[in-house]
Amino acid sequence: MKRLKKTVGFLLTLVLLFIGAVNIYAEDAGIMCWPPWPPEPETPVTIHKIVGTGGFTLRDHDGSQLDANTIKDLGNNAYEYAGPEVIFTIWKVKADTTLESLKDKSDGQLNKEFSKVGDIHAGGTINLTDGRYYIRETKQPDTFVEQLGVPTILDIPALDDDGNRLTCIHIYPKNILVDKPEIDKDVREKDNDYAGFDIGEEFSYFIYPTIPVGFENYSKFEIKEELDKRLDYMGAISVSYNGVALALDDDYTVSESEIGAAGGGFTLAFTEAGLAKLAKGRPADGVRKYLEIRFNARINNTAEMGTEIENNAKINYKHKFTKEKETDVPKPKRPKVHTGGRKFIKVDAADNKYNPLLKDAEFVVKKQVEGGFLYMKQDEKGRISWIQDINEATILRLDDQGKFEVRGLAYGDKGQAFEYWLEEIKTPEGYIKMKDLKFEVKQDSYDCETKLIKVVNVKKPRIPQTGGIGSLVFSVTGLGLMGAAVLVLRKKGRS
């Protein structure tokens, strides 16, 4: 019996030694064969996210979950946000670690010095064993600013007022919500992004900034306009909000370029009174283009024919919880304007080529309007106007190769052709005046020699001359002979 007990005891010792050896090997290999005994206690921690349009303080929170009404009562449009766009990263740190000692460390440095427990999205739950933890918000939308409540240090276990361990913990870091303003821009009329104009023709741009949520906390809201060098700034600024005109100096101030300046523009800044009006009158979400800023411009003679001229605008703004920021019109929404032209060559109908006999031809351009035609007049800078008096119209003349052209004529908003007419006002000597020639201007009508329009003149026909000096000699001689014959006959009659 004693021998049996010794044998069983020996075998049990071997089993325990074997189990210990396996455990040591498994831990060294990073393999968990079974949970430690007794298991470490874990506490579920849920990290919520509160956002709102201003600062708020959650006082005397005991780690319990808050309902929607309690969150709303924090003020400044507070509500709970949940979703993967906000991520919190959690590290387990040493028991004596302070929040101040970690604030300047990057995420990479924290990963090297401490054990990263994991990432959790807003509204998510993670189980944490006892110890000290550092929690940092590592991802958020750019409209969430001014983090409140994070980074933070969390100690587990956490105790209630009676000294009992909390079986679950809810924490509520907060962000100020700054809804980013947007800006759109149109040309000629609302919701139009393409337009064609003559060089020198004045037209309007329309700028539409949005007034975002939380605008009552904005301290700066400026609109900046800087035109392309191929455009002249023509002023005539007006501002309306919800259809009501705002007043210069009272609601906004303007610093602008000289009228007519190429590449000019302005900065329009809303005053404190103007900001208050914008905040108070903000319409419901989804309503667009209620703040309208209008000004005029024109295409100048540096524009390339058939080339779109894009135009941008910017907002400089500052929310009291953010640094100054800037945003501009998204590229697909930037309006484009254009102008076009046409090239011609004068030719003889006989051989379809130019010859120097055609050099004195002169032309004017006209367009049809209701009730007749208007004639093109260009000033020394190529700016076009349309007049009724043909005698005041700009005259087009040939170069030494018989070519001439017209630049700066409008064509359709989406590149469609516009029709014009060429009228010959001086016909080369020896040629018949040509009929008015209709031609089109469109995006590619000016761009290459193959688009040259041939302007044809026909020579006058040659008719043999009658009644010259030779005919007169023969006529006089014939009449003389006839008279002599009559005299002879009379003499014979008398005898």
Side-chain angles (χ1 to χ4, degrees):
M1 192 67 169
K2 289 181 180 180
R3 183 176 297 176
L4 179 61
K5 287 182 180 179
K6 287 182 180 180
T7 302
V8 171
F10 176 72
L11 290 173
L12 287 172
T13 301
L14 287 177
V15 169
L16 291 173
L17 288 172
F18 176 76
I19 291 172
V22 169
N23 264 335
I24 292 170
Y25 173 78
E27 289 176 5
D28 290 343
I31 302 170
M32 190 67 181
C33 296
W34 54 73
W37 186 261
E40 284 191 77
E42 291 184 341
T43 302
V45 176
T46 303
I47 306 179
H48 303 266
K49 166 61 65 175
I50 298 177
V51 296
T53 56
F56 29 64
T57 302
L58 182 58
R59 300 183 184 279
D60 302 323
H61 182 229
D62 59 5
S64 61
Q65 187 170 1
L66 305 179
D67 60 30
N69 288 331
T70 303
I71 294 174
K72 184 178 180 180
D73 289 342
L74 295 174
N76 285 314
N77 305 299
Y79 68 95
E80 181 173 351
Y81 174 89
E85 291 80 9
V86 175
I87 297 294
F88 299 96
T89 302
I90 304 170
W91 291 268
K92 192 169 188 178
V93 297
K94 297 176 181 178
D96 59 352
T97 302
T98 64
L99 189 62
E100 183 68 21
S101 67
L102 302 178
K103 69 175 185 178
D104 294 326
K105 293 184 182 291
S106 67
D107 294 352
Q109 289 175 313
L110 291 171
N111 290 336
K112 290 180 180 179
E113 295 183 31
F114 305 105
S115 173
K116 178 180 173 180
V117 177
D119 296 321
I120 180 174
H121 66 75
T125 301
I126 188 170
N127 292 325
L128 300 178
T129 58
D130 291 356
R132 172 162 286 198
Y133 295 89
Y134 176 64
I135 303 173
R136 173 183 286 179
E137 188 174 308
T138 51
K139 178 186 175 185
Q140 65 281 320
D142 60 5
T143 55
F144 287 11
V145 299
E146 194 73 14
Q147 297 178 15
L148 307 171
V150 283
T152 190
I153 292 287
L154 176 65
D155 286 314
I156 295 179
L159 307 178
D160 62 18
D161 292 340
D162 297 327
N164 300 315
R165 181 187 183 112
L166 293 178
T167 57
C168 62
I169 299 172
H170 296 266
I171 60 176
Y172 287 86
K174 296 162 284 296
N175 284 102
I176 304 300
L177 172 64
V178 178
D179 188 13
K180 182 180 178 181
E182 298 174 0
I183 184 170
D184 196 359
K185 191 173 186 179
D186 297 328
V187 63
R188 197 206 308 268
E189 59 188 3
K190 193 173 184 178
D191 298 325
N192 184 61
D193 288 335
Y194 295 89
F197 301 100
D198 299 330
I199 284 180
E201 179 182 359
E202 201 164 313
F203 60 89
S204 293
Y205 279 113
F206 300 85
I207 301 174
Y208 295 103
T210 62
I211 305 303
V213 174
F215 194 80
E216 62 274 9
N217 289 313
Y218 274 63
S219 57
K220 181 178 183 179
F221 201 66
E222 289 183 352
I223 310 304
K224 297 191 71 175
E225 171 63 50
E226 184 176 348
L227 291 170
D228 188 282
K229 294 292 186 183
R230 294 166 289 182
L231 301 173
D232 295 339
Y233 173 68
M234 300 303 293
I237 295 174
S238 63
V239 183
S240 64
Y241 188 49
N242 294 320
V244 178
L246 298 184
L248 178 64
D249 296 330
D250 291 339
D251 299 320
Y252 63 92
T253 60
V254 174
S255 173
E256 62 182 332
S257 304
E258 181 181 350
I259 302 301
F266 62 87
T267 298
L268 187 151
F270 286 93
T271 64
E272 186 175 345
L275 292 172
K277 282 187 180 180
L278 297 181
K280 185 178 180 180
R282 183 180 181 275
D285 291 338
V287 178
R288 311 291 290 182
K289 300 189 176 181
Y290 39 83
L291 173 58
E292 179 182 279
I293 300 165
R294 178 176 181 167
F295 71 98
N296 289 354
R298 68 187 179 195
I299 301 174
N300 62 43
N301 62 0
T302 64
E304 302 90 352
M305 301 301 99
T307 300
E308 302 286 2
I309 303 173
E310 184 179 277
N311 196 238
N312 193 11
K314 298 179 180 180
I315 305 175
N316 284 339
Y317 63 96
K318 187 180 186 312
H319 189 285
K320 73 179 184 180
F321 296 107
T322 69
K323 296 179 180 178
E324 187 170 323
K325 295 185 178 182
E326 181 179 87
T327 188
D328 59 0
V329 180
K331 195 167 182 63
K333 292 186 176 183
R334 294 175 188 175
K336 300 173 179 63
V337 297
H338 52 252
T339 193
R342 197 83 211 211
K343 297 177 181 179
F344 307 87
I345 185 168
K346 190 69 168 170
V347 299
D348 189 314
D351 58 6
N352 218 25
K353 294 181 180 179
Y354 170 71
N355 70 65
L357 297 176
L358 299 166
K359 64 183 177 60
D360 294 327
E362 294 179 351
F363 305 89
V364 294
V365 173
K366 60 185 181 181
K367 69 176 181 179
Q368 193 166 21
V369 295
E370 186 177 352
F373 287 92
L374 293 176
Y375 296 90
M376 183 191 78
K377 182 178 181 179
Q378 277 185 305
D379 65 13
E380 70 281 358
K381 293 188 176 181
R383 295 189 288 255
I384 291 175
S385 57
W386 295 94
I387 58 175
Q388 292 181 331
D389 187 356
I390 189 173
N391 296 312
E392 296 294 323
T394 295
I395 298 173
L396 304 181
R397 297 183 173 90
L398 314 185
D399 66 13
D400 58 4
Q401 294 181 323
K403 296 177 182 179
F404 62 103
E405 65 180 38
V406 59
R407 291 169 46 90
L409 294 177
Y411 60 90
D413 292 354
K414 297 295 182 67
Q416 310 95 314
F418 276 11
E419 292 182 342
Y420 299 88
W421 277 259
L422 195 66
E423 180 178 337
E424 188 172 69
I425 60 170
K426 183 179 180 181
T427 304
E429 187 175 348
Y431 287 85
I432 300 171
K433 181 180 178 179
M434 58 169 267
K435 294 181 179 179
D436 291 353
L437 175 66
K438 184 166 68 174
F439 65 94
E440 291 184 342
V441 172
K442 53 185 179 179
Q443 185 174 11
D444 62 349
S445 61
Y446 184 85
D447 62 356
C448 63
E449 293 294 311
T450 59
K451 297 288 194 306
L452 278 173
I453 294 178
K454 293 183 176 180
V455 181
V456 181
N457 274 108
V458 178
K459 287 181 180 176
K460 292 179 179 178
R462 288 190 175 184
I463 300 174
Q465 292 185 350
T466 59
I469 187 64
S471 300
L472 179 61
V473 171
F474 284 111
S475 298
V476 171
T477 303
L479 290 171
L481 290 173
M482 289 173 64
V486 170
L487 289 174
V488 171
L489 289 172
R490 284 182 178 179
K491 285 180 180 181
K492 286 183 177 183
R494 288 174 184 169
S495 60

